[in-house]
Amino acid sequence: MPTKRDYYEVLGVSKTASEDEIKSAYRKMALKYHPDRNKAADAEAKFKEINEAYQVLSDKSQRQKYDQFGHSAFDPAAGMGGNPFSGAYQQGPFTWSYSTGGSPFGDGVDFIDPFEVFNSFFGGSYNSRRMPNYSLHLDFMEAALGCEKTISVGDRRQTIKIPAGVDDGTRIKFTDFYVTFDVGADPYFKRQGADLYVDVSLPVSALIIGATIKVKTLTGEIKMKVREGTPSHTMLRLSGEGLDRLDRRGKGNLYVRLIADIPKKLNRQQKQVVNALRDVGL
C-alpha cells in the first residue's frame, strides 16, 4: 500500500495545534481542493486525504491514538482498533448537514450523520455512488431568513427551498445532489452559530441617566430600555431574536453591546457641562 502522509503535514499545522487551528486549516484546505471548485486531476485525491486527516485530528480520542501509534493505530491488521474511516463517523467538518425528505422541493427535514456527505465521495455504508455537489452564494439576509433559488442541476433547472439559518460552509443534501453554501458577511450583524451580535453606540448621557433605544433585528426594530448607570460595553440579550437553529428547534439570541460614544472634540457648551460634572464627582 502507498505510504500515507503525516496528517499534520496534510493540514499544514504543527503537532501542538489547537482544535480551532485544526478546524481553520481544514476549512481552507477543503475549500481549496474541493473537486467541484478545483478541476486539477489530483484534486479529489487530495480532498479525500484532507478529510481523512481531519477526521482523526478533530477527534480527541483518535488524535491521541494517532500521536502515539501513527497510522498503524487505525490499521485493523495491527490490532489497535478499527479503521475510523469506515461506517459511521462522529462529527462533521461543516456546520450542519441534513436531508430533505422526498422531493427536493419538500418541507420535511430529517437529520442524518454529517459524514454521509463524504461517504458519497469516498464510499461507505450510506451511498456507493458519487452525488454531485453545487456551490451557491447567498447574501447574509438570504441565509438568515431563508429563500428560494434556482440552480442548474446537470441539464435541467431546479428551484430549491433554502431554510433559514444556513451558515457559510453548510451543506444540504437534496434528493440526488448536494449544495454547499457560501454566505456573505453583514456590516451590522456579526454571527456566531445561531447567535447574532451588534454594537450600538450611545451618548454618554444615555448610559448615565438611562434611555429607550431602537435596536435593529432580522425582522425589524425592537425598543430596548437602557437602565440608569449602565457601563459602556455592557452586553444585553434579546432572547429568540437570533437565527433559526438548523440542528434543533428554536432560535439563537441577539446580543447588543452598548458602547459610549465619546466625541473626539467638544464644543464650548459641552466642555462646560463636562467640567460641571467633574466638579460634582462624575
Side-chain angles (χ1 to χ4, degrees):
M1 292 182 65
T3 302
K4 288 180 177 288
R5 284 205 299 156
D6 180 83
Y7 286 149
Y8 293 98
E9 178 186 341
V10 170
L11 295 183
V13 298
S14 69
K15 291 188 176 183
T16 60
S18 67
E19 292 181 12
D20 287 342
E21 289 173 331
I22 289 173
K23 184 176 181 180
S24 176
Y26 164 79
R27 189 179 184 84
K28 292 178 182 177
M29 297 290 286
L31 289 174
K32 180 178 179 181
Y33 288 105
H34 194 290
D36 291 303
R37 294 191 177 194
N38 191 322
K39 300 304 180 183
D42 61 347
E44 184 171 342
K46 288 185 176 180
F47 186 61
K48 179 177 179 179
E49 183 183 45
I50 291 162
N51 281 286
E52 184 176 308
Y54 180 77
Q55 314 277 330
V56 170
L57 299 186
S58 64
D59 183 284
K60 290 183 180 179
S61 176
Q62 301 290 355
R63 184 178 179 181
Q64 288 176 355
K65 292 179 183 178
Y66 179 73
D67 288 343
Q68 185 174 2
F69 300 109
H71 293 294
S72 62
F74 313 115
D75 182 0
M80 296 181 182
N83 188 334
F85 310 113
S86 62
Y89 298 107
Q90 298 176 355
Q91 62 181 22
F94 292 102
T95 308
W96 291 286
S97 179
Y98 68 94
S99 171
T100 55
S103 166
F105 315 108
D107 294 328
V109 176
D110 297 313
F111 286 89
I112 59 173
D113 187 307
F115 275 108
E116 182 175 349
V117 298
F118 292 110
N119 284 334
S120 67
F121 281 96
F122 314 128
S125 60
Y126 287 102
N127 199 337
S128 61
R129 67 184 181 87
R130 173 174 174 175
M131 293 174 64
N133 181 83
Y134 302 92
S135 298
L136 181 62
H137 176 79
L138 297 178
D139 293 337
F140 180 88
M141 295 303 294
E142 289 178 324
L145 300 178
C147 61
E148 290 188 355
K149 290 286 186 178
T150 300
I151 63 173
S152 295
V153 179
D155 58 354
R156 66 187 190 278
R157 301 280 288 174
Q158 286 203 22
T159 299
I160 57 175
K161 185 175 182 180
I162 301 165
V166 297
D167 201 356
D168 190 43
T170 297
R171 176 178 287 193
I172 296 178
K173 179 190 174 187
F174 294 91
T175 302
D176 56 359
F177 60 92
Y178 294 100
V179 177
T180 301
F181 295 96
D182 169 28
V183 179
D186 186 85
Y188 179 73
F189 295 109
K190 306 303 177 187
R191 176 174 185 170
Q192 185 173 335
D195 294 328
L196 294 174
Y197 295 80
V198 298
D199 287 338
V200 176
S201 296
L202 298 175
V204 177
S205 60
L207 296 173
I208 294 175
I209 64 176
T212 298
I213 63 174
K214 291 183 179 179
V215 177
K216 178 184 174 183
T217 70
L218 289 174
T219 57
E221 288 186 335
I222 288 181
K223 289 184 178 181
M224 174 179 285
K225 186 175 181 180
V226 179
R227 293 181 179 178
E228 179 181 313
T230 298
S232 181
H233 288 71
T234 293
M235 190 83 79
L236 304 179
R237 182 181 68 185
L238 291 173
S239 298
E241 290 296 335
L243 296 152
D244 284 36
R245 302 182 188 276
L246 289 182
D247 55 346
R248 57 187 184 277
R249 292 183 178 181
K251 293 178 176 287
N253 302 315
L254 173 61
Y255 293 90
V256 181
R257 186 169 62 168
L258 305 176
I259 301 177
D261 185 9
I262 308 296
K264 294 182 179 179
K265 189 174 182 180
L266 300 177
N267 58 37
R268 180 178 298 179
Q269 183 180 10
Q270 289 170 328
K271 287 182 179 179
Q272 290 175 346
V273 171
V274 172
N275 286 331
L277 290 173
R278 180 190 61 191
D279 293 340
V280 296
L282 291 178

